[in-house]
mmCIF file of all heavy atoms in Angstrom:
data_model
loop_
_atom_site.group_PDB
_atom_site.id
_atom_site.type_symbol
_atom_site.label_atom_id
_atom_site.label_comp_id
_atom_site.label_asym_id
_atom_site.label_seq_id
_atom_site.Cartn_x
_atom_site.Cartn_y
_atom_site.Cartn_z
ATOM 1 N N GLU A 1 -13.602 -1.195 7.668
ATOM 2 C CA GLU A 1 -12.150 -1.354 7.759
ATOM 3 C C GLU A 1 -11.791 -2.713 7.146
ATOM 4 O O GLU A 1 -12.361 -3.761 7.533
ATOM 5 C CB GLU A 1 -11.707 -1.332 9.208
ATOM 6 C CG GLU A 1 -10.182 -1.489 9.349
ATOM 7 C CD GLU A 1 -9.796 -1.225 10.818
ATOM 8 O OE1 GLU A 1 -10.427 -0.483 11.560
ATOM 9 O OE2 GLU A 1 -8.753 -1.823 11.240
ATOM 10 N N LEU A 2 -10.839 -2.723 6.236
ATOM 11 C CA LEU A 2 -10.398 -3.959 5.567
ATOM 12 C C LEU A 2 -9.362 -4.645 6.400
ATOM 13 O O LEU A 2 -8.701 -4.050 7.310
ATOM 14 C CB LEU A 2 -9.848 -3.629 4.185
ATOM 15 C CG LEU A 2 -10.789 -3.002 3.216
ATOM 16 C CD1 LEU A 2 -10.082 -2.677 1.858
ATOM 17 C CD2 LEU A 2 -12.103 -3.839 2.976
ATOM 18 N N GLU A 3 -9.180 -5.999 6.188
ATOM 19 C CA GLU A 3 -8.330 -6.798 7.015
ATOM 20 C C GLU A 3 -7.013 -7.086 6.383
ATOM 21 O O GLU A 3 -7.063 -7.595 5.268
ATOM 22 C CB GLU A 3 -9.077 -8.108 7.374
ATOM 23 C CG GLU A 3 -8.307 -8.985 8.380
ATOM 24 C CD GLU A 3 -9.096 -10.193 8.775
ATOM 25 O OE1 GLU A 3 -10.289 -10.301 8.467
ATOM 26 O OE2 GLU A 3 -8.428 -11.084 9.392
ATOM 27 N N ALA A 4 -5.936 -6.732 7.008
ATOM 28 C CA ALA A 4 -4.601 -6.986 6.554
ATOM 29 C C ALA A 4 -4.352 -8.536 6.449
ATOM 30 O O ALA A 4 -4.737 -9.302 7.340
ATOM 31 C CB ALA A 4 -3.559 -6.394 7.424
ATOM 32 N N GLY A 5 -3.792 -8.989 5.321
ATOM 33 C CA GLY A 5 -3.559 -10.371 5.132
ATOM 34 C C GLY A 5 -4.753 -11.111 4.415
ATOM 35 O O GLY A 5 -4.455 -12.137 3.700
ATOM 36 N N THR A 6 -5.863 -10.588 4.606
ATOM 37 C CA THR A 6 -7.076 -11.172 3.979
ATOM 38 C C THR A 6 -7.463 -10.432 2.804
ATOM 39 O O THR A 6 -7.745 -10.935 1.662
ATOM 40 C CB THR A 6 -8.230 -11.300 4.977
ATOM 41 O OG1 THR A 6 -7.904 -12.053 6.065
ATOM 42 C CG2 THR A 6 -9.514 -11.852 4.271
ATOM 43 N N ASP A 7 -7.490 -9.070 2.857
ATOM 44 C CA ASP A 7 -7.899 -8.209 1.772
ATOM 45 C C ASP A 7 -6.702 -7.502 1.072
ATOM 46 O O ASP A 7 -6.853 -7.156 -0.051
ATOM 47 C CB ASP A 7 -8.860 -7.060 2.301
ATOM 48 C CG ASP A 7 -10.129 -7.638 2.878
ATOM 49 O OD1 ASP A 7 -10.680 -8.520 2.302
ATOM 50 O OD2 ASP A 7 -10.507 -7.214 4.014
ATOM 51 N N TYR A 8 -5.684 -7.360 1.798
ATOM 52 C CA TYR A 8 -4.523 -6.666 1.278
ATOM 53 C C TYR A 8 -3.209 -6.978 2.053
ATOM 54 O O TYR A 8 -3.337 -7.499 3.194
ATOM 55 C CB TYR A 8 -4.704 -5.137 1.261
ATOM 56 C CG TYR A 8 -4.725 -4.591 2.718
ATOM 57 C CD1 TYR A 8 -3.586 -4.170 3.307
ATOM 58 C CD2 TYR A 8 -5.921 -4.493 3.375
ATOM 59 C CE1 TYR A 8 -3.660 -3.638 4.623
ATOM 60 C CE2 TYR A 8 -6.022 -3.964 4.665
ATOM 61 C CZ TYR A 8 -4.824 -3.571 5.322
ATOM 62 O OH TYR A 8 -4.899 -3.101 6.581
ATOM 63 N N VAL A 9 -2.050 -6.756 1.440
ATOM 64 C CA VAL A 9 -0.754 -6.806 2.064
ATOM 65 C C VAL A 9 -0.002 -5.568 1.799
ATOM 66 O O VAL A 9 -0.120 -4.995 0.660
ATOM 67 C CB VAL A 9 0.001 -8.036 1.566
ATOM 68 C CG1 VAL A 9 1.462 -8.031 2.170
ATOM 69 C CG2 VAL A 9 -0.681 -9.338 1.881
ATOM 70 N N ILE A 10 0.703 -5.011 2.738
ATOM 71 C CA ILE A 10 1.487 -3.850 2.578
ATOM 72 C C ILE A 10 2.976 -4.124 2.642
ATOM 73 O O ILE A 10 3.410 -4.836 3.570
ATOM 74 C CB ILE A 10 1.213 -2.703 3.601
ATOM 75 C CG1 ILE A 10 -0.279 -2.178 3.387
ATOM 76 C CG2 ILE A 10 2.150 -1.600 3.531
ATOM 77 C CD1 ILE A 10 -0.667 -1.189 4.407
ATOM 78 N N ASP A 11 3.719 -3.782 1.523
ATOM 79 C CA ASP A 11 5.149 -3.827 1.558
ATOM 80 C C ASP A 11 5.671 -2.479 2.220
ATOM 81 O O ASP A 11 5.636 -1.458 1.618
ATOM 82 C CB ASP A 11 5.702 -3.911 0.118
ATOM 83 C CG ASP A 11 7.193 -4.104 0.018
ATOM 84 O OD1 ASP A 11 7.892 -3.401 0.827
ATOM 85 O OD2 ASP A 11 7.649 -4.801 -0.799
ATOM 86 N N ASN A 12 6.075 -2.609 3.523
ATOM 87 C CA ASN A 12 6.305 -1.395 4.231
ATOM 88 C C ASN A 12 7.490 -0.635 3.645
ATOM 89 O O ASN A 12 7.555 0.586 3.671
ATOM 90 C CB ASN A 12 6.598 -1.750 5.709
ATOM 91 C CG ASN A 12 5.386 -2.329 6.422
ATOM 92 O OD1 ASN A 12 4.873 -3.350 6.029
ATOM 93 N ND2 ASN A 12 4.893 -1.636 7.469
ATOM 94 N N ARG A 13 8.563 -1.387 3.252
ATOM 95 C CA ARG A 13 9.769 -0.678 2.798
ATOM 96 C C ARG A 13 9.488 0.039 1.509
ATOM 97 O O ARG A 13 9.841 1.211 1.311
ATOM 98 C CB ARG A 13 10.879 -1.704 2.585
ATOM 99 C CG ARG A 13 12.219 -1.107 2.096
ATOM 100 C CD ARG A 13 13.306 -2.064 1.995
ATOM 101 N NE ARG A 13 12.989 -3.182 1.078
ATOM 102 C CZ ARG A 13 13.234 -3.189 -0.218
ATOM 103 N NH1 ARG A 13 13.809 -2.121 -0.822
ATOM 104 N NH2 ARG A 13 12.900 -4.211 -0.952
ATOM 105 N N GLN A 14 8.809 -0.520 0.549
ATOM 106 C CA GLN A 14 8.540 0.060 -0.719
ATOM 107 C C GLN A 14 7.399 1.010 -0.660
ATOM 108 O O GLN A 14 7.222 1.865 -1.574
ATOM 109 C CB GLN A 14 8.285 -0.994 -1.809
ATOM 110 C CG GLN A 14 9.485 -1.890 -2.112
ATOM 111 C CD GLN A 14 10.494 -1.235 -2.999
ATOM 112 O OE1 GLN A 14 10.397 -0.059 -3.273
ATOM 113 N NE2 GLN A 14 11.501 -1.990 -3.397
ATOM 114 N N GLY A 15 6.562 0.874 0.290
ATOM 115 C CA GLY A 15 5.372 1.682 0.408
ATOM 116 C C GLY A 15 4.345 1.312 -0.694
ATOM 117 O O GLY A 15 3.874 2.133 -1.536
ATOM 118 N N ILE A 16 4.029 0.030 -0.749
ATOM 119 C CA ILE A 16 3.051 -0.486 -1.797
ATOM 120 C C ILE A 16 2.017 -1.360 -1.116
ATOM 121 O O ILE A 16 2.255 -2.175 -0.203
ATOM 122 C CB ILE A 16 3.854 -1.387 -2.791
ATOM 123 C CG1 ILE A 16 4.840 -0.564 -3.614
ATOM 124 C CG2 ILE A 16 2.894 -2.133 -3.704
ATOM 125 C CD1 ILE A 16 5.740 -1.359 -4.494
ATOM 126 N N LEU A 17 0.766 -1.102 -1.519
ATOM 127 C CA LEU A 17 -0.429 -1.937 -1.100
ATOM 128 C C LEU A 17 -0.715 -2.904 -2.166
ATOM 129 O O LEU A 17 -0.870 -2.578 -3.312
ATOM 130 C CB LEU A 17 -1.576 -1.019 -0.782
ATOM 131 C CG LEU A 17 -2.811 -1.645 -0.290
ATOM 132 C CD1 LEU A 17 -3.595 -0.815 0.689
ATOM 133 C CD2 LEU A 17 -3.847 -2.077 -1.437
ATOM 134 N N ILE A 18 -0.787 -4.171 -1.763
ATOM 135 C CA ILE A 18 -1.043 -5.270 -2.730
ATOM 136 C C ILE A 18 -2.336 -5.930 -2.422
ATOM 137 O O ILE A 18 -2.536 -6.552 -1.337
ATOM 138 C CB ILE A 18 0.123 -6.367 -2.589
ATOM 139 C CG1 ILE A 18 1.463 -5.673 -2.752
ATOM 140 C CG2 ILE A 18 -0.120 -7.470 -3.680
ATOM 141 C CD1 ILE A 18 2.597 -6.583 -2.391
ATOM 142 N N PRO A 19 -3.371 -5.782 -3.291
ATOM 143 C CA PRO A 19 -4.642 -6.375 -3.011
ATOM 144 C C PRO A 19 -4.546 -7.915 -3.101
ATOM 145 O O PRO A 19 -3.810 -8.450 -3.928
ATOM 146 C CB PRO A 19 -5.553 -5.942 -4.237
ATOM 147 C CG PRO A 19 -4.910 -4.670 -4.684
ATOM 148 C CD PRO A 19 -3.381 -4.876 -4.463
ATOM 149 N N VAL A 20 -5.281 -8.630 -2.167
ATOM 150 C CA VAL A 20 -5.251 -10.055 -2.172
ATOM 151 C C VAL A 20 -6.395 -10.572 -3.142
ATOM 152 O O VAL A 20 -7.545 -9.974 -3.192
ATOM 153 C CB VAL A 20 -5.536 -10.602 -0.766
ATOM 154 C CG1 VAL A 20 -5.727 -12.119 -0.723
ATOM 155 C CG2 VAL A 20 -4.386 -10.194 0.161
ATOM 156 N N ALA A 21 -6.073 -11.600 -3.897
ATOM 157 C CA ALA A 21 -6.972 -11.980 -4.968
ATOM 158 C C ALA A 21 -8.392 -12.218 -4.560
ATOM 159 O O ALA A 21 -9.406 -11.843 -5.194
ATOM 160 C CB ALA A 21 -6.407 -13.267 -5.685
ATOM 161 N N ASP A 22 -8.598 -12.937 -3.448
ATOM 162 C CA ASP A 22 -9.960 -13.266 -2.963
ATOM 163 C C ASP A 22 -10.520 -12.318 -1.908
ATOM 164 O O ASP A 22 -11.518 -12.588 -1.223
ATOM 165 C CB ASP A 22 -9.962 -14.680 -2.403
ATOM 166 C CG ASP A 22 -9.581 -15.754 -3.425
ATOM 167 O OD1 ASP A 22 -9.956 -15.483 -4.609
ATOM 168 O OD2 ASP A 22 -9.021 -16.688 -3.134
ATOM 169 N N GLY A 23 -9.866 -11.165 -1.789
ATOM 170 C CA GLY A 23 -10.303 -10.178 -0.803
ATOM 171 C C GLY A 23 -11.390 -9.258 -1.252
ATOM 172 O O GLY A 23 -12.042 -9.488 -2.357
ATOM 173 N N GLU A 24 -11.683 -8.283 -0.487
ATOM 174 C CA GLU A 24 -12.843 -7.381 -0.688
ATOM 175 C C GLU A 24 -12.513 -6.189 -1.665
ATOM 176 O O GLU A 24 -13.336 -5.403 -1.947
ATOM 177 C CB GLU A 24 -13.399 -6.866 0.633
ATOM 178 C CG GLU A 24 -14.009 -7.887 1.525
ATOM 179 C CD GLU A 24 -15.222 -8.559 0.923
ATOM 180 O OE1 GLU A 24 -15.953 -7.835 0.272
ATOM 181 O OE2 GLU A 24 -15.346 -9.750 1.019
ATOM 182 N N ILE A 25 -11.268 -6.084 -2.088
ATOM 183 C CA ILE A 25 -10.859 -4.982 -2.983
ATOM 184 C C ILE A 25 -11.181 -5.343 -4.423
ATOM 185 O O ILE A 25 -10.846 -6.438 -4.900
ATOM 186 C CB ILE A 25 -9.423 -4.646 -2.828
ATOM 187 C CG1 ILE A 25 -9.125 -4.131 -1.347
ATOM 188 C CG2 ILE A 25 -9.028 -3.496 -3.828
ATOM 189 C CD1 ILE A 25 -7.647 -3.935 -1.120
ATOM 190 N N ALA A 26 -11.841 -4.462 -5.160
ATOM 191 C CA ALA A 26 -12.248 -4.613 -6.545
ATOM 192 C C ALA A 26 -11.645 -3.559 -7.412
ATOM 193 O O ALA A 26 -11.182 -2.511 -6.987
ATOM 194 C CB ALA A 26 -13.693 -4.682 -6.695
ATOM 195 N N HIS A 27 -11.617 -3.822 -8.760
ATOM 196 C CA HIS A 27 -11.250 -2.823 -9.714
ATOM 197 C C HIS A 27 -11.977 -1.501 -9.494
ATOM 198 O O HIS A 27 -13.189 -1.470 -9.360
ATOM 199 C CB HIS A 27 -11.520 -3.291 -11.147
ATOM 200 C CG HIS A 27 -10.827 -4.587 -11.491
ATOM 201 N ND1 HIS A 27 -9.511 -4.886 -11.215
ATOM 202 C CD2 HIS A 27 -11.270 -5.604 -12.203
ATOM 203 C CE1 HIS A 27 -9.173 -6.083 -11.706
ATOM 204 N NE2 HIS A 27 -10.248 -6.620 -12.235
ATOM 205 N N GLY A 28 -11.190 -0.383 -9.471
ATOM 206 C CA GLY A 28 -11.787 0.944 -9.372
ATOM 207 C C GLY A 28 -12.217 1.411 -7.988
ATOM 208 O O GLY A 28 -12.745 2.506 -7.832
ATOM 209 N N ASP A 29 -11.959 0.566 -6.984
ATOM 210 C CA ASP A 29 -12.282 0.944 -5.584
ATOM 211 C C ASP A 29 -11.580 2.201 -5.168
ATOM 212 O O ASP A 29 -10.396 2.426 -5.447
ATOM 213 C CB ASP A 29 -12.029 -0.153 -4.617
ATOM 214 C CG ASP A 29 -13.133 -1.197 -4.528
ATOM 215 O OD1 ASP A 29 -14.214 -0.915 -5.123
ATOM 216 O OD2 ASP A 29 -12.942 -2.231 -3.887
ATOM 217 N N ALA A 30 -12.322 3.082 -4.413
ATOM 218 C CA ALA A 30 -11.734 4.215 -3.760
ATOM 219 C C ALA A 30 -11.555 3.869 -2.321
ATOM 220 O O ALA A 30 -12.581 3.697 -1.579
ATOM 221 C CB ALA A 30 -12.610 5.412 -3.970
ATOM 222 N N LEU A 31 -10.321 3.862 -1.853
ATOM 223 C CA LEU A 31 -10.035 3.460 -0.481
ATOM 224 C C LEU A 31 -9.501 4.676 0.268
ATOM 225 O O LEU A 31 -9.062 5.685 -0.312
ATOM 226 C CB LEU A 31 -9.015 2.303 -0.438
ATOM 227 C CG LEU A 31 -9.351 1.079 -1.227
ATOM 228 C CD1 LEU A 31 -8.196 0.111 -1.195
ATOM 229 C CD2 LEU A 31 -10.673 0.430 -0.876
ATOM 230 N N THR A 32 -9.375 4.557 1.565
ATOM 231 C CA THR A 32 -8.576 5.493 2.378
ATOM 232 C C THR A 32 -7.617 4.738 3.199
ATOM 233 O O THR A 32 -7.854 3.557 3.570
ATOM 234 C CB THR A 32 -9.531 6.318 3.342
ATOM 235 O OG1 THR A 32 -10.242 5.427 4.220
ATOM 236 C CG2 THR A 32 -10.438 7.162 2.472
ATOM 237 N N ILE A 33 -6.483 5.303 3.525
ATOM 238 C CA ILE A 33 -5.417 4.671 4.258
ATOM 239 C C ILE A 33 -4.855 5.634 5.316
ATOM 240 O O ILE A 33 -4.632 6.832 5.030
ATOM 241 C CB ILE A 33 -4.345 4.037 3.378
ATOM 242 C CG1 ILE A 33 -3.346 3.303 4.217
ATOM 243 C CG2 ILE A 33 -3.694 5.201 2.533
ATOM 244 C CD1 ILE A 33 -2.417 2.418 3.323
ATOM 245 N N SER A 34 -4.569 5.088 6.467
ATOM 246 C CA SER A 34 -3.824 5.843 7.544
ATOM 247 C C SER A 34 -2.580 5.024 7.930
ATOM 248 O O SER A 34 -2.685 3.840 8.104
ATOM 249 C CB SER A 34 -4.793 6.079 8.734
ATOM 250 O OG SER A 34 -5.971 6.723 8.369
ATOM 251 N N TYR A 35 -1.454 5.767 8.071
ATOM 252 C CA TYR A 35 -0.211 5.080 8.421
ATOM 253 C C TYR A 35 0.791 6.077 8.854
ATOM 254 O O TYR A 35 0.613 7.320 8.666
ATOM 255 C CB TYR A 35 0.243 4.216 7.307
ATOM 256 C CG TYR A 35 0.639 4.991 6.047
ATOM 257 C CD1 TYR A 35 1.848 5.686 5.903
ATOM 258 C CD2 TYR A 35 -0.245 5.093 5.018
ATOM 259 C CE1 TYR A 35 2.141 6.404 4.793
ATOM 260 C CE2 TYR A 35 0.025 5.815 3.942
ATOM 261 C CZ TYR A 35 1.255 6.448 3.742
ATOM 262 O OH TYR A 35 1.574 7.208 2.693
ATOM 263 N N SER A 36 1.881 5.633 9.555
ATOM 264 C CA SER A 36 2.996 6.467 9.850
ATOM 265 C C SER A 36 4.210 5.976 9.059
ATOM 266 O O SER A 36 4.229 4.857 8.547
ATOM 267 C CB SER A 36 3.342 6.355 11.352
ATOM 268 O OG SER A 36 2.268 6.906 12.152
ATOM 269 N N PHE A 37 5.184 6.855 8.896
ATOM 270 C CA PHE A 37 6.391 6.525 8.106
ATOM 271 C C PHE A 37 7.585 7.115 8.678
ATOM 272 O O PHE A 37 7.560 8.182 9.306
ATOM 273 C CB PHE A 37 6.197 6.925 6.620
ATOM 274 C CG PHE A 37 5.828 8.390 6.450
ATOM 275 C CD1 PHE A 37 6.904 9.352 6.258
ATOM 276 C CD2 PHE A 37 4.560 8.838 6.461
ATOM 277 C CE1 PHE A 37 6.594 10.613 6.084
ATOM 278 C CE2 PHE A 37 4.299 10.131 6.305
ATOM 279 C CZ PHE A 37 5.231 11.114 6.103
ATOM 280 N N ASP A 38 8.784 6.473 8.487
ATOM 281 C CA ASP A 38 10.051 7.052 8.955
ATOM 282 C C ASP A 38 10.595 8.020 7.983
ATOM 283 O O ASP A 38 10.105 8.185 6.757
ATOM 284 C CB ASP A 38 11.030 5.856 9.091
ATOM 285 C CG ASP A 38 10.763 4.970 10.304
ATOM 286 O OD1 ASP A 38 10.162 5.490 11.317
ATOM 287 O OD2 ASP A 38 11.069 3.705 10.275
ATOM 288 N N SER A 39 11.655 8.793 8.403
ATOM 289 C CA SER A 39 12.322 9.699 7.452
ATOM 290 C C SER A 39 13.180 8.935 6.516
ATOM 291 O O SER A 39 13.685 7.873 6.804
ATOM 292 C CB SER A 39 13.140 10.661 8.292
ATOM 293 O OG SER A 39 14.070 10.002 9.096
ATOM 294 N N TYR A 40 13.342 9.524 5.303
ATOM 295 C CA TYR A 40 14.209 8.941 4.274
ATOM 296 C C TYR A 40 14.609 9.919 3.236
ATOM 297 O O TYR A 40 13.996 10.994 3.123
ATOM 298 C CB TYR A 40 13.537 7.657 3.633
ATOM 299 C CG TYR A 40 12.203 8.037 2.977
ATOM 300 C CD1 TYR A 40 12.117 8.312 1.621
ATOM 301 C CD2 TYR A 40 10.986 8.037 3.726
ATOM 302 C CE1 TYR A 40 10.936 8.603 0.973
ATOM 303 C CE2 TYR A 40 9.830 8.317 3.082
ATOM 304 C CZ TYR A 40 9.809 8.589 1.748
ATOM 305 O OH TYR A 40 8.532 8.807 1.140
ATOM 306 N N LEU A 41 15.609 9.563 2.490
ATOM 307 C CA LEU A 41 16.053 10.352 1.354
ATOM 308 C C LEU A 41 15.484 9.754 0.109
ATOM 309 O O LEU A 41 15.620 8.594 -0.208
ATOM 310 C CB LEU A 41 17.591 10.373 1.255
ATOM 311 C CG LEU A 41 18.198 11.341 0.207
ATOM 312 C CD1 LEU A 41 17.898 12.776 0.533
ATOM 313 C CD2 LEU A 41 19.729 11.115 0.070
ATOM 314 N N HIS A 42 14.774 10.592 -0.637
ATOM 315 C CA HIS A 42 14.044 10.073 -1.796
ATOM 316 C C HIS A 42 14.529 10.687 -3.073
ATOM 317 O O HIS A 42 14.666 11.868 -3.252
ATOM 318 C CB HIS A 42 12.521 10.492 -1.665
ATOM 319 C CG HIS A 42 11.632 10.023 -2.791
ATOM 320 N ND1 HIS A 42 10.913 10.899 -3.576
ATOM 321 C CD2 HIS A 42 11.342 8.799 -3.193
ATOM 322 C CE1 HIS A 42 10.245 10.185 -4.426
ATOM 323 N NE2 HIS A 42 10.501 8.887 -4.253
ATOM 324 N N THR A 43 14.848 9.803 -3.986
ATOM 325 C CA THR A 43 15.224 10.235 -5.365
ATOM 326 C C THR A 43 14.370 9.616 -6.385
ATOM 327 O O THR A 43 14.153 8.405 -6.435
ATOM 328 C CB THR A 43 16.689 9.816 -5.707
ATOM 329 O OG1 THR A 43 17.611 10.361 -4.755
ATOM 330 C CG2 THR A 43 17.116 10.173 -7.146
ATOM 331 N N ALA A 44 13.689 10.507 -7.206
ATOM 332 C CA ALA A 44 12.713 10.084 -8.218
ATOM 333 C C ALA A 44 13.366 10.415 -9.569
ATOM 334 O O ALA A 44 13.751 11.509 -9.810
ATOM 335 C CB ALA A 44 11.397 10.720 -8.011
ATOM 336 N N ILE A 45 13.325 9.414 -10.413
ATOM 337 C CA ILE A 45 13.849 9.626 -11.799
ATOM 338 C C ILE A 45 12.772 9.395 -12.793
ATOM 339 O O ILE A 45 12.116 8.285 -12.756
ATOM 340 C CB ILE A 45 15.101 8.685 -12.091
ATOM 341 C CG1 ILE A 45 16.219 9.005 -11.068
ATOM 342 C CG2 ILE A 45 15.524 8.805 -13.553
ATOM 343 C CD1 ILE A 45 17.407 8.038 -11.255
ATOM 344 N N ASN A 46 12.476 10.364 -13.591
ATOM 345 C CA ASN A 46 11.465 10.185 -14.757
ATOM 346 C C ASN A 46 12.264 9.798 -15.948
ATOM 347 O O ASN A 46 12.927 10.698 -16.552
ATOM 348 C CB ASN A 46 10.674 11.498 -14.958
ATOM 349 C CG ASN A 46 9.786 11.825 -13.749
ATOM 350 O OD1 ASN A 46 9.237 10.888 -13.074
ATOM 351 N ND2 ASN A 46 9.774 13.050 -13.360
ATOM 352 N N GLY A 47 12.253 8.496 -16.307
ATOM 353 C CA GLY A 47 13.175 8.117 -17.324
ATOM 354 C C GLY A 47 12.567 8.289 -18.777
ATOM 355 O O GLY A 47 11.400 8.455 -18.999
ATOM 356 N N GLY A 48 13.520 8.379 -19.709
ATOM 357 C CA GLY A 48 13.186 8.420 -21.123
ATOM 358 C C GLY A 48 12.854 9.763 -21.695
ATOM 359 O O GLY A 48 12.642 9.856 -22.961
#
């Protein structure tokens, strides 16, 4: 189990995981994640 704040940070609103530079996450790593999320209206636009 990786440590929040040391290995990664999560932007809860955007739903983004940000690896920390000196943490244990490396290029090409395969991770697993467990979390809960609230309901929302989602619009996706494929531009261009």
Side-chain angles (χ1 to χ4, degrees):
E1 183 174 330
L2 301 179
E3 186 175 347
T6 300
D7 299 315
Y8 66 90
V9 174
I10 291 179
D11 183 322
N12 295 61
R13 180 175 60 87
Q14 296 282 7
I16 292 175
L17 182 144
I18 306 167
V20 173
D22 297 328
E24 293 297 321
I25 298 175
H27 301 316
D29 274 353
L31 310 177
T32 59
I33 186 169
S34 302
Y35 60 84
S36 296
F37 55 92
D38 287 330
S39 59
Y40 58 95
L41 185 66
H42 179 242
T43 298
I45 298 174
N46 297 322

